[in-house]
Every structure is written in structure tokens, then in C-alpha cells.
Amino acid sequence: MMLPLIDFEILDEILSKRFENIDFKLQDLPSYEHFKDMQKSSLRIKQAILEKQNIFLVGDYDVDGVISTTLMILFFETIKYDKFKWIIPNRFTHGYGLSMALVDKLHGADLIITVDNGIGAFEVAKWCNDNSIDLIITDHHTPAKNLPDAYAIINPKQNDCNFPFAEICGAQVAWYLIASLKNILGVSVDLKSLLGLVSLAIVADIMPLVGINRAMVIAGLRELLKDQSKAIELLREHRLNFTSEDIAFWIAPLLNSAGRIADATKAVEFLRSQTLQEAREKFENLVSYNTLRKTIEQETTKEALKSIANPDDSILVCVGKDWHEGVLGIVAARVAEQLKKPVIVLTTLNDKLLKGSGRSYGDCDLHKSLVEVSSCLKTFGGHRAAIGLSLEREKLVFFTKKLKYSFVKCDDYKPIQKIVGLLPFESINSSLIEVIKRYEPYGEGNLTPTFKIKNIQIVHARELGGGEHIRYLLKQGDIQYEAIHFRAKEKFKVNQEVDLTCQIKENNFRGITKLQLLIENIYITNS
């Protein structure tokens, strides 16, 4: 594929094509009334509040579930309703979502509400009906052909739901439920202030940053800068400005680590800290979990890569013994990114059962591929980019063969095209930076522009972080720029001529702003 030569005008033209409506704003958000069962759910919750019934909330252990749970807690605290109880399943004790392993904690409930889970809770829905408990499911994961027999289901991916945006996260569904409850109860709730938390979930759950998601994240990032909660105040001490990259690479892993290593309730408790001292203590716990998670993840990723029998397969299945359940999803993401293919990572629960996670790559709908092989599976769920599953060990070989066949039929697969074009040093200027900023925030569905730059001379190279990172001074013609290569696998020497792919960033240090190249790949110029 021939890459275009980039200047700021051509870049603007390329990036603008990613959006149907770049000017989509908060005032353009569709109403909660478009959701199927929103009115029915809100009226039932209002009835429960007026009759002082016991309302139980069941969340999920990832960032989206933690944020969704926190939003609902804040709502019920705001209206001072004290017959409300929240539960997040423990990954290792209860498994995912609203499962039968959790029912011992649900006795005494008159109404159960799920956030970011429940669309596959067939058994518990029946248990609720048998015990005269109403169940309201709010979720965003892809439903099966049949739905649980719940009192109401709010999910934009339902076939008969008229909400115009299907690709939203669980926290957005919860936010819309709060908006509906605010109206139907006539209570005062600052919906805009909640968008700070919602933005964390949108980015962390890898929602496409276009349309409604982009508008809510832009507004949410502004709210985070003025959020008065002690947890967000503490996070601001570490990051003066929140960006989508800060969320994706720092905040999300931190909040996720509690559910991966210990219990996600600790992440909720951090977000609800009442004092800065309490926030600091809980923050340090999360940092410890995250440090341990990184160590386990790195070792498991190495083992997963070694376990691949045929790297040329179109979809990869890694199987290991006693791998830590909490890191399987992120290991799948690491392997997928490294090998540029969708990956499923499985570990042994016991002699008979395997459990794991999958991550897609490119535009392939991984959930769609799993539907094709669902007869092999004990459980599975998720969405196009990420899935969870379990299966009997004896079905592994058949599952793997059938999955590869079903994946080949996935005709919407396209590799990720990250590089937008060839960029000469002479085209790197303030106008180019203005264009890059215009299309922020970047993330899923709106990747940060990556450029290829050819025939660069290395003027200087210095190791950082004990040799893990390298800072370069690079020259093309008479123009020089500083560049940094994080987690560099190879160090290039002064006077070598190289090509590279990189992103262009503004580096603010001690009040001085200058442009810097963030190197993705660097290699000797092919003469």
C-alpha cells in the first residue's frame, strides 16, 4: 500500500474521514427514552423506593463494572435511600456476573439490578422468578438469541432496542438509567459531573471514540479536572492533566488490578474514599496489586507465546496449566498485539474444565466467531473485541479446529492500519500539532496518528531506565528532533541511518513545551 506524503492539510483530510459528525456534542446525545425497558425499569425502581423495598445491585469486576457500580451507589446516596446494597462478584470465588454462585448474597432482595452484566444470567433469572424477586438487567454485552426471563432488560444491543448507538459501555447504560430516574423521581442529580467517571469506563472498556463516546469522553475529561472526590483529587496529584492515554495506560490498569489480583470492591472503595488519607492508603494498595499483576502478566505472556503450536494460524489459542485467572484477558491482548492476530488464552481450572479470555485484532468480530462454536462451550459472553469463555477439557481439540474454521468465515476482518502516511521533518510544525489535537481523544476506533519517517540520521543516543528505554536526537536535513523509544529491544548507534514509525507529541517539562517523537518501531534504512 502506497503511503501518502503528509502535511497538516492532508492529515486533516485523512482524520476527518473517521467521523460521520466530528461536531457531535453533549446536546446531541439521544434521550434515555430510546432504550427498550427504560421506562418500565425506572417505574419499578421508583415503586421499590416508595415502598421501602430492598434493592440489591450486582456489578462486575472490571473497570466498567466498578464505575457502573460506583455511579449507582452515588445516585442512591444522593437520594438518601438506605435500603440499598451493592455486590461485586469475586472473580475467583463467584466467577463472572450474576451467577448461581452469588445467590447466597441475594437473599432478602425485593429487586435486583445488574450493571455491566446479566445478559447471560438465565439461571439466576429463573431463581429470581421462583423467589418472587424482580430482576432488572442493564448491560451492553452482545445477547444470545434468547434472553433471560427478567422483569426488564436495558441493553442497546437488543434487536428491538431503538437507542441509536449500540457500541456503548455498561457505565453509559447506568448513566442513562440515572438520567431516567432523575426525571421520574424528580430529584436533583448533577448528571454532567458524573461524566468524569463515565469517561474512565468508556476508554477502559475500549469503546470506539467516535460519536456519543467521543462527546462523553471530551466532557468527562473536563469534569475530571474539577472533580471534588478525594480519589480523583489524589489521581490529579499524579497527573496534572487527564488524557485518554492516561486512562488507558495508567488509571484503567490500576483500577482493574483489584479485580484481577484480589477483589474489585477495593477499587470501588478507593473511588468512594472520604478523606485524602483514606484515598492514599487505598491507592497504595491498588499500586501493590498492579505491580504484582505486571509481574504475573509478563511471565504468563512469555509462557503463552511459547505454547503456540502454529503461529501461522489465523486465530491463536494458548493453553497453560494453572495460569492466574486474573491476567488472562490482558495476556490475550499482549499476544494479539505482538502477533497481530486474535487470541484466546485458556488455563486449567481442574482436570475437567478450562477457563479463559479472548481479545480480537483488527475489525474481526470475535464474539461472532464464538457464536459459531458455542456448542463446544460451557459458558461464553462478551462483545466483538473481548470475550470470556469456559469449556470442558475433552472438547479442546474439537473447539480449536472448529474455531479456526469459523474465524476464516469472518469476512469483516481487516488488519489495523495505524500508519497514516510518510512525514518529512519539514512538515512537523504547529499546524500539524493543531490538526492532531483537533481529533482528540484517541483510542479505539480513532487511533492516534502514527507516521513513517525515512532516512533519519542518529545524532545522539542515551539509555534511560536502566537501559529499558532510549532517548535519541535525530536529524533529517538541517532539522533535528528529540525522540524516545520506550521498551526498546535494540539500541542503534550514532551516525546510523534509520527509518522509524512514530507519533508526534508535545512534551511539557518545567513550563517549557517542545515537540517530541514517540518511536513505535525503528530499523536500519533499506538502501
Side-chain angles (χ1 to χ4, degrees):
M1 178 181 174
M2 184 74 70
L3 293 172
L5 189 65
I6 296 294
D7 61 18
F8 74 92
E9 292 177 325
I10 294 173
L11 181 62
D12 187 66
E13 181 181 350
I14 290 171
L15 297 183
S16 67
K17 291 178 181 178
R18 296 178 176 183
F19 304 91
E20 291 183 11
N21 181 7
I22 189 64
D23 296 319
F24 193 100
K25 298 292 192 298
L26 279 186
Q27 56 264 33
D28 301 317
L29 295 185
S31 169
Y32 54 80
E33 295 172 344
H34 293 293
F35 280 98
K36 180 179 183 293
D37 282 357
M38 183 64 81
Q39 178 79 352
K40 183 179 181 182
S41 299
S42 301
L43 288 171
R44 179 62 186 90
I45 295 170
K46 179 179 181 179
Q47 177 193 350
I49 292 170
L50 293 176
E51 296 179 5
K52 301 294 184 183
Q53 294 179 354
N54 293 317
I55 301 175
F56 285 22
L57 181 81
V58 178
D60 184 24
Y61 42 62
D62 68 356
V63 176
D64 192 14
V66 163
I67 297 297
S68 302
T69 301
T70 303
L71 290 170
M72 296 302 294
I73 292 170
L74 290 172
F75 171 76
F76 282 104
E77 286 180 344
T78 298
I79 66 171
K80 296 181 169 54
Y81 190 72
D82 58 4
K83 297 182 76 63
F84 168 79
K85 181 179 179 181
W86 62 274
I87 304 161
I88 292 186
N90 182 286
R91 182 192 298 265
F92 312 104
T93 306
H94 307 115
Y96 168 75
L98 187 62
S99 68
M100 291 301 292
L102 204 66
V103 294
D104 285 346
K105 292 181 173 290
L106 301 175
H107 289 288
D110 299 300
L111 173 64
I112 296 173
I113 306 169
T114 72
V115 286
D116 191 34
N117 76 95
I119 202 64
F122 295 93
E123 289 183 290
V124 180
K126 182 180 184 304
W127 177 85
C128 286
N129 289 327
D130 291 343
N131 288 273
S132 300
I133 301 170
D134 284 334
L135 171 63
I136 295 174
I137 294 171
T138 80
D139 203 349
H140 73 117
H141 295 98
T142 305
K145 291 182 181 178
N146 299 316
L147 297 174
D149 185 15
Y151 178 86
I153 298 177
I154 306 173
N155 185 328
K157 291 191 175 76
Q158 293 180 89
N159 289 332
D160 49 355
C161 180
N162 294 320
F163 192 77
F165 298 95
E167 294 300 324
I168 63 173
C169 70
Q172 288 166 283
V173 179
W175 183 85
Y176 266 105
L177 176 58
I178 291 170
S180 177
L181 290 171
K182 172 185 177 179
N183 180 64
I184 209 162
L185 292 170
V187 294
S188 177
V189 179
D190 187 352
L191 291 169
K192 190 175 181 181
S193 70
L194 298 178
L195 289 175
L197 288 175
V198 174
S199 68
L200 300 182
I202 294 171
V203 175
D205 221 48
I206 322 178
M207 294 296 105
L209 294 184
V210 295
I212 182 177
N213 298 329
R214 183 172 188 270
M216 294 179 87
V217 168
I218 289 173
L221 291 175
R222 295 191 189 110
E223 292 300 319
L224 288 173
L225 294 177
K226 55 185 179 181
D227 192 303
Q228 297 301 304
S229 68
K230 300 306 177 185
I232 302 301
E233 185 178 339
L234 179 64
L235 293 177
R236 279 202 301 269
E237 289 183 3
H238 294 263
R239 292 287 196 281
L240 292 178
N241 294 299
F242 286 119
T243 66
S244 56
E245 287 88 353
D246 289 331
I247 296 172
F249 300 111
W250 180 57
I251 299 175
L254 199 66
L255 294 177
N256 250 333
S257 65
R260 292 187 184 279
I261 299 299
D263 194 303
T265 58
K266 297 183 183 299
V268 176
E269 289 166 356
F270 165 68
L271 292 173
R272 299 180 64 243
S273 298
Q274 299 302 301
T275 66
L276 267 178
Q277 180 60 33
E278 181 186 357
R280 286 194 177 93
E281 291 172 0
K282 296 183 185 305
F283 175 81
E284 291 304 320
N285 288 335
L286 294 181
V287 170
S288 297
Y289 295 141
N290 201 34
T291 301
L292 178 57
R293 186 270 304 168
K294 289 178 184 177
T295 301
I296 297 171
E297 170 211 318
Q298 289 168 359
E299 290 302 315
T300 307
T301 299
K302 291 177 184 177
E303 293 178 19
L305 287 166
K306 290 179 182 178
S307 76
I308 298 171
N310 187 359
D312 294 328
D313 287 341
S314 54
I315 183 166
L316 305 175
V317 179
C318 309
V319 184
K321 184 179 180 182
D322 299 327
W323 287 343
H324 196 291
E325 284 183 49
V327 302
L328 298 184
I330 198 164
V331 168
R334 294 283 183 263
V335 177
E337 181 61 31
Q338 186 165 331
L339 299 183
K340 313 301 182 188
K341 294 179 180 181
V343 174
I344 291 174
V345 178
L346 298 166
T347 189
T348 53
L349 282 185
N350 49 51
D351 292 338
K352 295 183 179 180
L353 198 63
L354 296 169
K355 182 179 181 181
S357 294
R359 295 295 183 269
S360 189
Y361 186 81
D363 287 340
C364 180
D365 188 336
L366 187 56
H367 186 274
K368 180 180 177 182
S369 292
L370 265 291
V371 169
E372 297 287 333
V373 297
S374 58
S375 61
C376 303
L377 303 175
K378 186 176 179 66
T379 62
F380 91 96
H383 47 80
R384 63 181 298 119
I387 52 95
L389 71 161
S390 65
L391 69 154
E392 295 173 1
R393 192 182 184 94
E394 63 185 21
K395 294 184 178 180
L396 176 62
V397 174
F398 181 63
F399 162 73
T400 303
K401 290 181 179 179
K402 194 172 181 181
L403 177 65
K404 290 174 185 176
Y405 172 71
S406 74
F407 179 77
V408 171
K409 294 192 302 182
C410 185
D411 56 11
D412 60 351
Y413 174 77
K414 296 194 294 287
I416 294 175
Q417 297 293 338
K418 297 177 68 174
I419 302 172
V420 296
L422 292 170
L423 182 69
F425 270 10
E426 64 184 8
S427 293
I428 301 175
N429 51 37
S430 58
S431 296
L432 186 83
I433 295 301
E434 286 176 13
V435 172
I436 293 173
K437 287 181 175 180
R438 185 178 306 152
Y439 294 96
E440 291 176 338
Y442 293 106
E444 183 69 15
N446 182 33
L447 297 175
T448 305
T450 300
F451 308 95
K452 185 170 184 178
I453 307 179
K454 302 182 72 173
N455 305 117
I456 302 295
Q457 183 183 359
I458 296 177
V459 177
H460 181 70
R462 181 164 64 93
E463 293 184 354
L464 304 173
E468 186 180 7
H469 317 303
I470 301 174
R471 186 185 301 278
Y472 290 105
L473 181 61
L474 304 176
K475 181 179 180 182
Q476 186 185 62
D478 295 328
I479 304 173
Q480 293 185 352
Y481 278 109
E482 193 175 81
I484 188 163
H485 192 189
F486 292 110
R487 294 178 292 279
K489 295 180 180 179
E490 182 180 1
K491 181 181 178 181
F492 292 84
K493 299 176 183 178
V494 171
N495 293 326
Q496 279 188 298
E497 193 166 274
V498 298
D499 295 347
L500 55 87
T501 57
C502 67
Q503 298 168 5
I504 314 295
K505 299 285 186 180
E506 283 186 333
N507 182 28
N508 298 294
F509 185 69
R510 294 180 179 174
I512 299 174
T513 299
K514 60 182 179 179
L515 299 184
Q516 183 181 63
L517 313 186
L518 295 186
I519 297 173
E520 186 177 86
N521 289 303
I522 182 170
Y523 37 90
I524 298 292
T525 296
N526 185 359
S527 57

